[in-house]
């Protein structure tokens, strides 16, 4: 639960540090007030799935300020080590991982990569929905905060992260 506390702190700090002209706080409040009108709405996962701005603000925070700067850490346990396809030999006891922060702040994947842009994933979600021709945004969940990809590793990657 330490991870939850650390990441939730980043999310809140990113939201309050966002320049006022972005209108983020007001937009988030409006989204919540619109969707969370009744007790039933609070109890429904469906409601939270519709909070696309909140979701985007959270995903963007995990992108710019991931909990781990290096992820997927694994120790080589095979006695003879492991030979990678490129010829590199990893001896037993070596640790390997992926540079989460470097990937998250890579301009090839995210224009203005070091900037916290809370609406980044709302735009991508809408563009994907439009391109898919369904006209709505419900089907476009590739940008949900909890959805990992090779360029979004806030929760790690692979079987345990899905
Ligand atoms: C916003 C909240 C959270 C974030 C950002 C987060 C992120 C992560 C990350 C980055 C890893 C390491 C993945 C890797 O690189 O190998 C991880 C592993 C793990 N997390 Fe979380 N986590 C969160 C909340 C939680 C909570 C609430 C629980 C449990 C109730 C949890 C349980 C685990 C477990 C069990 C693993 C180890 C998985 C494994 O390697 O077997 N996480 N988490």
């Amino acid at each position: 639960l330490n991870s939850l506390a650390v990441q939730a702190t980043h999310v809140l700090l990113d939201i309050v540090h966002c320049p006022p002209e972005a209108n983020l706080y007001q937009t988030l409040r409006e989204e919540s007030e619109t969707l969370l009108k009744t007790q039933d709405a609070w109890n429904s996962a469906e409601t939270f799935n519709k909070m696309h701005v909140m979701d985007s603000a959270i995903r963007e925070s995990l992108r710019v300020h991931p909990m781990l700067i290096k992820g997927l850490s694994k120790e080589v346990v095979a006695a003879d080590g492991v030979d990678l396809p490129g010829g590199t030999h990893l001896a037993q006891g070596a640790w390997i991982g992926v540079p989460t922060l470097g990937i998250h702040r890579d301009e090839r994947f995210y224009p203005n990569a070091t900037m916290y842009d809370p609406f980044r994933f709302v735009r991508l979600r809408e563009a994907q929905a439009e391109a898919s021709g369904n006209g709505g945004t419900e089907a476009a969940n590739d940008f949900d905060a909890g959805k990992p990809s090779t360029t979004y590793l806030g929760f790690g990657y692979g079987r345990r992260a899905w």
Side-chain angles (χ1 to χ4, degrees), residues 1-8 11 58 62 66-68 70-74 98 100 152-157 160-161:
L1 291 181
N2 183 46
S3 49
L4 178 56
V6 169
Q7 202 66 63
V11 168
I58 292 172
L62 266 90
M67 190 187 75
L68 298 178
K70 173 179 74 63
L72 308 179
S73 295
K74 299 284 176 278
V98 297
T100 302
Y152 174 67
L153 303 158
F155 291 97
Y157 192 70
R160 291 186 175 116

Side-chain angles (χ1 to χ4, degrees), residues 111-159:
N112 296 322
T114 55
M115 193 181 117
Y116 174 72
D117 172 2
F119 302 102
R120 183 187 299 271
F121 295 109
V122 175
R123 291 195 302 274
L124 288 170
R125 179 193 290 272
E126 285 171 1
Q128 191 189 51
E130 207 162 301
S132 74
N134 68 16
T137 55
E138 296 311 315
N141 70 348
D142 281 357
F143 303 107
D144 283 354
K147 186 90 183 265
S149 78
T150 50
T151 54
Y152 174 67
L153 303 158
F155 291 97
Y157 192 70
R159 197 154 46 99

Side-chain angles (χ1 to χ4, degrees), residues 4 7-12 14-15 24 28 31-32 48 51-67 104 116-122 125 143-147 152 154-155:
L4 178 56
Q7 202 66 63
T9 305
H10 279 307
V11 168
L12 287 173
D14 283 332
I15 289 173
L24 175 60
L28 289 174
E31 183 179 67
S32 303
F48 293 94
M51 298 179 80
H52 295 161
V53 183
M54 178 66 83
D55 199 83
S56 178
I58 292 172
R59 186 176 168 106
E60 177 71 343
S61 190
L62 266 90
R63 182 188 72 77
V64 194
H65 298 122
M67 190 187 75
H104 282 194
Y116 174 72
D117 172 2
F119 302 102
R120 183 187 299 271
F121 295 109
V122 175
R125 179 193 290 272
F143 303 107
D144 283 354
K147 186 90 183 265
Y152 174 67
F155 291 97

